[in-house]
Amino acid sequence: MIGAVGIVEAAPAAKSDFVTVKNTHFARKGQAYYIAGANFWYGGYLGAASGVGERARLLKELDNMKAIGINNLRVLAVSEKTEMKSAVSPATTNAPGQYDENLLAGLDFLMAEVAKRDMTVVLYLNNFWQWSGGMTQYLNWFEGTPALDPNVTKDYETYMQKTAGFYRSAAAQAEYRKVIASIVKRVNTITGKPYSEDTHILSWQLANEPRPGNSKATPEEKAVYVKWVDEVAGYIHSLDKNHLVSSGSEGLAGSAQDAQLYLDAHRTKNIDYLTYHLWPKNWSWFDSNNPGGTWDNAISKSRDYLNSHIELAKKLGKPIVLEEFGLDRDGPSFSIKATTKIRDRFYREVFEIVSTRAAKGDPIAGFNFWAWGGAGRAANADYWWKPGNDFVGDPPQEEQGLYSVFDSDVTSLLLIKEYADRLHGIKR
Ligand SMILES: O=C1NC[C@H](CO)[C@@H](O)[C@@H]1O
């Protein structure tokens, strides 16, 4: 198309080129679209032109993921500078209104390379946890409360209750919306394409694992959370008519075990599909020091969690994506030399349920395992991350090697490919 000044401009993408929801499934380019995805939180960091950027590594990681059928990446789009040791540095937001263009251009580079491989990306715009600064850092900026690091306080209940105060802070919400607008309305500096026109973005996601409060969240806290999800998702849709919006919820584990709350928070027309996460070890269903004695309990609860959330999606008539799940290496060990027999068995159990129910036509739209470690390697004997170290699938608040799938984990990669192929083969 010749523009007014004779510059050839790309014709706007057809609506069908974007991922859309068709009844209880995703559709893309006239076909049913299933996600065989990876969590790749640091993808934009690797894309930076300097500093933490490692563009050669990024291209290799994308090619290796593509080669095993991974078609979707879940990526951290925004991080906040913080004093907390458990958080990644640098950050895309150095202070309210001060954004790191080098890092944000890294996301541009990632999106340009994702497009070349015809992959899609879910971009999350905040974090309920501290490993990227997140909501607790917003509260430090705008309410003067300390940025809480549960790795230091060892008190998750207090952390969750305080962090949910983010939803009620007008000043924090105003900056959060400013950041959202700066990303959603961003023009990719590599491709020249507005993000709102990028058909390789599958959805904007409110945050990583937003929770209403702690396990004893009050009715008032739950109501604030439901209103926040609806209003922020509506705000994103007001900025971008093309893309889907999701919450980033873990499901019941992130909804104070309250199914009604999970349904109420995702009923709004502003939330296009449901998300859920599955963490048997984090939720104490599985003890990796006693795998034989806890496997049956873990897998039974996991199967129930996997299936019951698909039933909740049916209730709302929306697709659902299992966008996080993981288990640690045999031993347990953080070492890349440790085998992954138990994790592979768990992955297969998860993949079987997801792929079987997707093939049956149930509203499960796919998976993203947590998380792609690829060529990254832990740098320190204690397995903790320090600035300058490789990024791996485990963010800085966890040992580097805890849940990562590395490029040398051949049995895991073959398993992922087997089920990616199965999902890609579903015709609807
Ligand atoms: O979003 C998340 N869910 C679980 C991961 C592993 O514990 C964690 O690293 C991340 O905060």
Side-chain angles (χ1 to χ4, degrees), residues 74 124 127 129 131 208-209 250 277 279 282 324 370 393-395 397-398 402-403:
R74 184 167 172 261
Y124 48 99
N127 197 344
W129 306 113
W131 57 262
N208 177 51
E209 301 200 332
E250 301 151 271
H277 303 179
W279 289 106
N282 292 2
E324 283 190 20
W370 182 282
D394 307 290
Q397 93 289 5
E398 282 164 330
L402 176 62
Y403 293 123

Side-chain angles (χ1 to χ4, degrees), residues 186-258:
R186 182 175 177 84
V187 176
N188 188 311
T189 56
I190 307 275
T191 64
K193 180 179 289 191
Y195 273 54
S196 61
E197 293 295 324
D198 187 339
T199 59
H200 297 279
I201 294 173
L202 184 150
S203 77
W204 298 109
Q205 193 163 90
L206 302 189
N208 177 51
E209 301 200 332
R211 292 192 175 193
N214 63 22
S215 59
K216 299 178 184 58
T218 65
E220 294 72 28
E221 288 169 328
K222 292 177 179 179
V224 165
Y225 174 75
V226 170
K227 185 166 178 284
W228 175 78
V229 170
D230 174 47
E231 291 181 350
V232 178
Y235 176 62
I236 295 172
H237 279 301
S238 75
L239 300 172
D240 175 347
K241 303 298 181 200
N242 293 321
H243 290 107
L244 304 179
V245 178
S246 58
S247 67
S249 172
E250 301 151 271
L252 266 63
S255 308
Q257 302 303 336
D258 178 346

Side-chain angles (χ1 to χ4, degrees), residues 132-402:
S132 57
M135 295 179 187
T136 191
Q137 184 52 49
Y138 274 93
L139 290 171
N140 173 248
W141 283 331
F142 292 102
E143 301 299 334
T145 49
L148 293 174
D149 183 346
N151 277 1
V152 173
T153 63
K154 308 292 182 203
D155 178 354
Y156 273 91
E157 283 293 294
T158 301
Y159 175 85
M160 294 187 284
Q161 193 270 329
K162 298 272 188 208
T163 300
F166 170 75
Y167 310 126
R168 292 188 298 276
S169 165
Q173 291 303 309
E175 170 62 15
Y176 173 52
R177 288 189 178 216
K178 232 175 104 184
V179 170
I180 288 173
S182 73
I183 302 287
V184 174
K185 291 161 59 176
R186 182 175 177 84
V187 176
N188 188 311
T189 56
I190 307 275
T191 64
K193 180 179 289 191
Y195 273 54
S196 61
E197 293 295 324
D198 187 339
T199 59
H200 297 279
I201 294 173
L202 184 150
S203 77
W204 298 109
Q205 193 163 90
L206 302 189
N208 177 51
E209 301 200 332
R211 292 192 175 193
N214 63 22
S215 59
K216 299 178 184 58
T218 65
E220 294 72 28
E221 288 169 328
K222 292 177 179 179
V224 165
Y225 174 75
V226 170
K227 185 166 178 284
W228 175 78
V229 170
D230 174 47
E231 291 181 350
V232 178
Y235 176 62
I236 295 172
H237 279 301
S238 75
L239 300 172
D240 175 347
K241 303 298 181 200
N242 293 321
H243 290 107
L244 304 179
V245 178
S246 58
S247 67
S249 172
E250 301 151 271
L252 266 63
S255 308
Q257 302 303 336
D258 178 346
Q260 193 55 52
L261 171 63
Y262 180 65
L263 290 170
D264 292 345
H266 294 85
R267 197 183 308 282
T268 168
K269 66 178 176 21
N270 295 327
I271 291 290
D272 297 290
Y273 68 94
L274 282 68
T275 61
Y276 69 135
H277 303 179
L278 174 61
W279 289 106
K281 176 187 166 102
N282 292 2
W283 299 342
S284 304
W285 298 349
F286 181 70
D287 176 357
S288 41
N289 291 296
N290 175 19
T294 58
W295 169 265
D296 290 347
N297 175 60
I299 208 61
S300 162
K301 286 181 173 164
S302 295
R303 287 177 185 139
D304 178 58
Y305 200 83
L306 286 165
N307 286 310
S308 59
H309 283 76
I310 296 172
E311 297 311 311
L312 291 173
K314 277 185 185 172
K315 278 201 172 125
L316 292 184
K318 298 183 181 181
I320 187 167
V321 177
L322 176 69
E323 59 170 26
E324 283 190 20
F325 62 93
L327 206 62
D328 44 355
R329 309 178 78 89
D330 300 334
S333 170
F334 307 123
S335 166
I336 199 163
K337 296 189 180 68
T339 52
T340 59
K341 289 187 173 59
I342 299 172
R343 182 177 77 186
D344 290 347
R345 193 176 161 205
F346 172 65
Y347 269 40
R348 185 174 291 280
E349 288 274 353
V350 170
F351 289 150
E352 266 304 311
I353 289 174
V354 169
S355 59
T356 303
R357 293 201 62 174
K360 263 177 52 191
D362 286 335
I364 177 78
F367 65 79
N368 298 76
F369 64 88
W370 182 282
W372 185 261
R377 293 296 183 264
N380 306 309
D382 64 2
Y383 292 97
W384 288 102
W385 182 85
K386 292 186 179 66
N389 292 162
D390 278 358
F391 293 120
V392 299
D394 307 290
Q397 93 289 5
E398 282 164 330
E399 291 87 350
Q400 307 291 284
L402 176 62

Side-chain angles (χ1 to χ4, degrees), residues 45 78-84 87-96 98 100 103 130 132-134 136-138 140-141 147:
Y45 277 71
V78 177
S79 49
E80 294 73 30
K81 186 174 182 178
T82 180
E83 297 300 316
M84 292 185 285
V88 65
S89 62
T92 62
T93 299
N94 286 315
Q98 295 173 30
D100 181 330
L103 261 187
Q130 85 283 23
S132 57
T136 191
Q137 184 52 49
Y138 274 93
N140 173 248
W141 283 331

